[in-house]
Amino acid sequence: PRQILFIRPSAAVCHMARGEWPQAQILVTEAMTLIPGDEVAQRRLNRHVEYFGKTVLSLPLSAQSSKSAIFLERIASNRAEFHKILAICAACRGDYSEAVQTLGLAIQANPQDVAAQIDRAAYLAVLGRDAEAVRQLTTATTLSPTNGIAQSNLAALLAKQRRFSEAIEHYRLAIKSDPKNADTRHNFALALARSQRTHEALEQFQMALELNPAHQPATQQLAWLLATHRELGDPVRALALAE
């Protein structure tokens, strides 16, 4: 119902004021998905979020306060989170250009925010701006080498550009961080197969299926590999997988 929709952003503003960002983000996201495409709801939601942004950015700072440094740091953090929430709103509307721009502001406010960089790279990729997405993810993986999502996403974009040797190295790092991710192993196997490293690809496809026996892409790819490869061929197993 419309009345409940409008309660959510109001509650989100309350959470924001208390610094409870995860709860605020959940409420904002839920509000955006309740009535997709509703322009009235969108305008009202934007007013709520913009009101909070103007309020938090205009708070007076006391130069004589012993806590002024801490207070400044808190405001800077809030500014970054505020931009991230606006980016969520833009992405939910399908306005990925605005989401990219807004997340750029969030990253300026907090250059160490790897999650914001991963999201920005994803929106850049949706817009077909792969080179920029690669640069953003390169920064993210430099900041956080053990972030499996950043490593896997960077590997996927490099593979898309047919830079398979680089992609493989990032897939290895992604698997080292998250060894039980069947999707990453499947994508890693594809990069290996396209690099003519068939034995390694076969191993990764099989490991993906061990982790998730219902993984359909890995099942299909392994079936094709076993059906068509001259040395590794296993027609009986290929047929079973295909069925």
Side-chain angles (χ1 to χ4, degrees), residues 9 21 45 49 52 58 72 88 116 123 127 129 157 163-164 188 190 198 222 224 237 239-240:
W21 297 102
L45 176 60
V49 180
F52 171 75
S58 64
L72 278 167
I88 291 173
Y123 299 143
L127 293 168
R129 295 160 62 179
L157 282 171
R163 296 162 62 179
F164 294 119
F188 180 30
L190 286 177
T198 313
L222 182 57
W224 178 256
R237 190 181 176 202
L239 181 61

Side-chain angles (χ1 to χ4, degrees), residues 17-58:
R18 294 168 58 176
E20 297 168 355
W21 297 102
Q23 296 93 322
Q25 287 182 323
I26 289 169
L27 287 167
V28 170
T29 304
E30 288 178 349
M32 291 302 304
T33 56
L34 278 175
I35 306 182
D38 188 316
E39 293 183 3
V40 175
Q42 179 61 55
R43 287 197 297 271
R44 181 141 185 193
L45 176 60
N46 283 345
R47 281 201 297 273
H48 277 291
V49 180
E50 286 169 9
Y51 171 79
F52 171 75
K54 291 174 183 176
T55 301
V56 76
L57 296 179
S58 64

Side-chain angles (χ1 to χ4, degrees), residues 151-171:
Q151 294 287 2
S152 181
N153 289 1
L154 177 56
L157 282 171
L158 291 170
K160 182 180 177 183
Q161 296 178 344
R162 304 190 66 79
R163 296 162 62 179
F164 294 119
S165 60
E166 296 172 74
I168 286 169
E169 292 309 309
H170 285 285
Y171 274 131

